Amino acid sequence: MRKSIFSSVFFVLVVCMCMCFVLADDPTPTVNQSDETAGDSKGTAPYAVSEDKELKGTHVELKTPAPVEQPIETANKNKGIAETPAVSESKEPEGTKDTNVESNTPAPVEQAVNAVNAEGESKSTSTVYAVNEDVELGDNNLKIEAPSVRDPFQPYNRGVFVFNDKAYYYVIRPVYKGYNKVVPEKARLSVRNFFSNIRMPGRFLNCLFQGKINGAATELARFVINSTLGLGGLFDPAKSLLHLDKQNEDFGQTLAKANMGPGFYIEWPFLGSSNVRDTIGYIGDLAMDPLSILSFIINPLIAGGTSGYNTFNDISVDGGDTYESVTKSAVDPYIALQDAYQQNRIKKIKE
Amino acid sequence: MKCRKMMLGIGVGMCVLLFTSAFSLAIEPGKLLMETVDKGFIVLKNPSLGGVEKTQERRQALWKEISFVFNFEEMSKRALGQHWKKRSSEEKKEFVELFTNILKDAYIGKTDTYNGEKIVLLREKQDSEYAVVQTKFVTKNGTEIAVDYSMLNNGGEWKIYDVVIEGVSMINNYRSQFYNILLKSPYETLVKRMKEKKTEGETATAAK
């Protein structure tokens, strides 16, 4: 029995190695070959990808990419938009096969489909993203047909966006361009490092709240090193010498980790993009911010001013560029910023 | 019998590993990407193409070197999502052209301020059809920006269909915009706005 096992494994290995050399130049048949074998042995392949290929191979007509989560995703979609015949449309935006529903749909029905899609999306948002989390490969693009941001106060938000945009281009940008000319970049980086070092408690506590013991330890080590070797936080030897990365954890992320949903989108004057959760998070972070103590010792104006200067300095280092690159190339800058904010927050929460 | 199946499975697993390594020797998306990036940097570092007055020339030279690595049709398809199928082939062609121009303006325009930034290859992951190449963009002051390139195998040729910067997928970002526009207005409005964007970009470059 045992002998036969080993001999069969050995045989398969030898055969495969031969094939490997023969087919090395031509990837397609190689892959097909491995598919067939994987199919025989029922998914003992080393990583998920080849399993999916098996799935793809057997159901050729389902030619949707994003193999890894295909089944789950379909289930999700079905939950959201169950009894509509147009489901297939949202499942396969790639257009490998045309459904009858779609080709002769009159306009009003199309609208209805859109509405249904939007609804389905907003309901299953959290699930969709939860599923997406582990996947790096393939295509998570075709998943989210409708943007999943809830934005019931869009007219108000758009107004604030226009205001912020004007404030940026007519006030903040000219001022920081001048500031950049006067203050060398190294000095501005040191200002950023200094404030970042002072604000360590917030990141440290949020690491603890999220159960990231390593993160908390890193923050503690960074604080000790940068306060001493880094001359009171002006420099960042913890990163440059020891490769200890800053842990960008905030209270909004802590709330998200505690399963709080994002709520609706809010565009705050001056502060910019946020949502219900991150606004609460912002207040929480203020409470953990040592700069807030200044307002009790000296006065709130000084504290606010210092914190404002910190933000301004950050914009002058790279925040302004980020804002411009998101909005300048957009067809609808408001949506572009909103979507970029949401995508970036999701990444940060995942980390 | 069960045991035998398991062993066979392990054997198959090893084979698959071997195949993938052999396969990645044949074409490597990460290598292709980094070679393209290097070609781009050669143009940007070329002193005869430096300076503000050479902007147009430099942009064109750069575009020649790097544009082949992008799959603009795939990008357009994904950015339009479910609306893609409803378009006629002429409309599709026009859309690809408009969208390519927007992306070109957005990304070539950023290279005007090139100042010794670096791109570092971190990891790559691939199966037969898809690949993700993770890189790190390092600015001169040491700020690190995570940039992932999603690539698709077009019959042996790897091409980029999405760029993800700090978690923000470019294609998802445009799809949100297109979706929102198409929710309220007809397709023609979207085309009109994209054309406006194009002229806007042209005047912006002309002004520089």
Side-chain angles (χ1 to χ4, degrees):
Chain A
M1 177 61 190
R2 208 156 239 230
K3 244 184 184 175
S4 73
I5 294 162
F6 280 113
S7 61
S8 75
V9 170
F10 183 67
F11 174 75
V12 172
L13 263 176
V14 170
V15 169
C16 291
M17 270 167 93
C18 294
M19 301 273 277
C20 195
F21 286 118
V22 174
L23 297 172
D25 294 350
D26 189 5
T28 334
T30 323
V31 170
N32 286 343
Q33 179 61 36
S34 72
D35 280 350
E36 275 162 38
T37 17
D40 289 339
S41 66
K42 279 293 165 226
T44 26
Y47 59 94
V49 173
S50 53
E51 245 182 45
D52 303 315
K53 259 182 248 139
E54 182 207 337
L55 186 139
K56 252 195 228 163
T58 34
H59 315 281
V60 187
E61 72 280 22
L62 248 182
K63 235 199 147 189
T64 328
V68 182
E69 337 143 50
Q70 180 56 41
I72 313 165
E73 177 55 27
T74 316
N76 272 343
K77 290 261 179 190
N78 282 342
K79 251 186 257 165
I81 353 169
E83 41 315 305
T84 332
V87 167
S88 54
E89 190 190 326
S90 61
K91 259 192 287 182
E92 294 173 81
E94 264 279 53
T96 38
K97 71 171 183 188
D98 273 334
T99 42
N100 296 333
V101 186
E102 210 239 344
S103 48
N104 47 20
T105 322
V109 179
E110 257 177 43
Q111 269 176 0
V113 170
N114 275 339
V116 170
N117 275 351
E119 240 180 69
E121 284 304 333
S122 61
K123 262 183 221 154
S124 58
T125 308
S126 52
T127 353
V128 171
Y129 281 112
V131 170
N132 275 346
E133 267 184 19
D134 306 312
V135 182
E136 287 169 44
L137 205 58
D139 156 27
N140 38 29
N141 265 328
L142 295 176
K143 295 289 133 64
I144 314 141
E145 261 312 314
S148 39
V149 183
R150 275 204 289 147
D151 192 2
F153 303 110
Q154 198 176 116
Y156 156 81
N157 282 337
R158 275 189 189 270
V160 178
F161 171 77
V162 171
F163 169 78
N164 281 346
D165 193 67
K166 293 261 187 283
Y168 173 75
Y169 278 105
Y170 291 109
V171 183
I172 298 165
R173 192 170 185 271
V175 175
Y176 93 66
K177 290 278 174 188
Y179 173 78
N180 283 5
K181 275 193 186 134
V182 183
V183 185
E185 189 175 30
K186 284 208 168 124
R188 285 182 279 130
L189 283 171
S190 278
V191 170
R192 176 159 86 170
N193 288 339
F194 176 75
F195 281 112
S196 161
N197 194 49
I198 283 184
R199 289 184 153 157
M200 173 282 240
R203 296 191 299 272
F204 175 76
L205 288 173
N206 279 308
C207 279
L208 284 185
F209 293 156
Q210 294 175 34
K212 291 179 172 164
I213 305 301
N214 284 340
T218 307
E219 274 301 325
L220 205 59
R222 276 178 55 84
F223 185 73
V224 172
I225 294 163
N226 287 348
S227 302
T228 52
L229 284 177
L231 305 179
L234 290 176
F235 301 97
D236 192 355
K239 166 80 179 134
S240 55
L241 299 177
L242 298 167
H243 304 290
L244 292 172
D245 285 312
K246 187 164 117 183
Q247 310 289 307
N248 278 319
E249 302 296 346
D250 57 45
F251 200 57
Q253 294 173 50
T254 303
L255 291 173
K257 281 266 158 72
N259 287 330
M260 181 175 175
F264 53 81
Y265 180 79
I266 310 171
E267 175 97 19
W268 289 109
F270 298 110
L271 297 175
S273 299
S274 192
N275 53 41
V276 173
R277 180 187 60 210
D278 292 339
T279 303
I280 299 171
Y282 182 77
I283 296 165
D285 283 326
L286 276 183
M288 290 180 250
D289 186 352
L291 283 183
S292 307
I293 298 168
L294 272 184
S295 48
F296 297 109
I297 304 172
I298 313 172
N299 72 44
L301 263 181
I302 302 263
T306 322
S307 160
Y309 171 62
N310 175 22
T311 313
F312 173 75
N313 184 73
D314 284 356
I315 292 174
S316 86
V317 174
D318 54 23
D321 287 345
T322 310
Y323 174 75
E324 283 177 39
S325 62
V326 169
T327 50
K328 254 189 182 170
S329 51
V331 181
D332 183 343
Y334 170 79
I335 297 291
L337 188 70
Q338 181 190 66
D339 178 84
Y341 177 75
Q342 151 127 335
Q343 287 197 56
N344 182 255
R345 286 302 287 177
I346 287 168
K347 178 195 151 101
K348 282 187 174 154
I349 290 162
K350 265 194 266 177
E351 277 172 1
Chain B
M1 200 54 206
K2 219 179 185 179
C3 181
R4 191 174 165 193
K5 250 191 172 171
M6 200 181 79
M7 290 308 279
L8 186 74
I10 293 169
V12 169
M14 290 181 78
C15 298
V16 173
L17 273 180
L18 279 170
F19 280 132
T20 16
S21 56
F23 172 50
S24 56
L25 277 180
I27 348 151
E28 267 184 280
K31 203 175 156 215
L32 170 75
L33 184 88
M34 291 317 282
E35 277 172 6
T36 316
V37 164
D38 287 339
K39 276 188 212 158
F41 277 148
I42 288 172
V43 174
L44 292 177
K45 283 174 186 158
N46 186 347
S48 67
L49 287 170
V52 186
E53 65 280 2
K54 292 276 175 68
T55 302
Q56 281 310 317
E57 242 174 280
R58 187 178 57 239
R59 283 183 179 187
Q60 237 149 44
L62 182 63
W63 190 244
K64 225 187 222 167
E65 293 288 355
I66 64 164
S67 56
F68 79 94
V69 83
F70 294 95
N71 186 343
F72 291 110
E73 198 187 320
E74 189 68 26
M75 288 175 160
S76 309
K77 202 192 273 180
R78 284 161 189 267
L80 263 193
Q82 63 186 28
H83 298 281
W84 176 260
K85 276 198 289 179
K86 296 174 197 160
R87 310 273 57 101
S88 71
S89 55
E90 291 93 61
E91 281 175 326
K92 282 177 185 170
K93 214 179 140 217
E94 185 196 27
F95 183 86
V96 173
E97 202 179 298
L98 284 170
F99 193 43
T100 305
N101 267 312
I102 287 179
L103 295 173
K104 182 180 165 184
D105 277 348
Y107 289 88
I108 289 281
K110 272 188 204 153
T111 60
D112 289 347
T113 52
Y114 173 74
N115 184 22
E117 285 87 354
K118 275 187 304 189
I119 293 176
V120 184
L121 178 67
L122 294 177
R123 260 186 303 271
E124 56 181 304
K125 206 178 166 192
Q126 66 176 99
D127 63 11
S128 63
E129 241 185 294
Y130 292 98
V132 172
V133 180
Q134 295 182 297
T135 68
K136 186 166 78 169
F137 185 84
V138 187
T139 65
K140 224 178 179 188
N141 65 37
T143 310
E144 293 174 352
I145 301 161
V147 183
D148 297 353
Y149 298 89
S150 306
M151 297 172 90
L152 187 65
N153 189 350
N154 300 70
E157 265 184 290
W158 288 96
K159 287 193 188 225
I160 298 169
Y161 69 87
D162 196 5
V163 182
V164 184
I165 304 165
E166 284 293 333
V168 182
S169 148
M170 188 183 73
I171 295 302
N172 281 348
N173 194 272
Y174 278 105
R175 191 173 44 238
S176 296
Q177 296 174 45
F178 296 158
Y179 177 88
N180 266 278
I181 292 169
L182 291 171
L183 204 61
K184 289 169 221 149
S185 26
Y187 176 74
E188 288 67 34
T189 315
L190 175 65
V191 173
K192 204 177 132 241
R193 289 183 70 168
M194 288 175 83
K195 277 183 182 156
E196 280 165 11
K197 189 79 212 164
K198 195 184 152 197
T199 42
E200 200 180 292
E202 273 163 5
T203 40
T205 22
K208 277 185 187 169

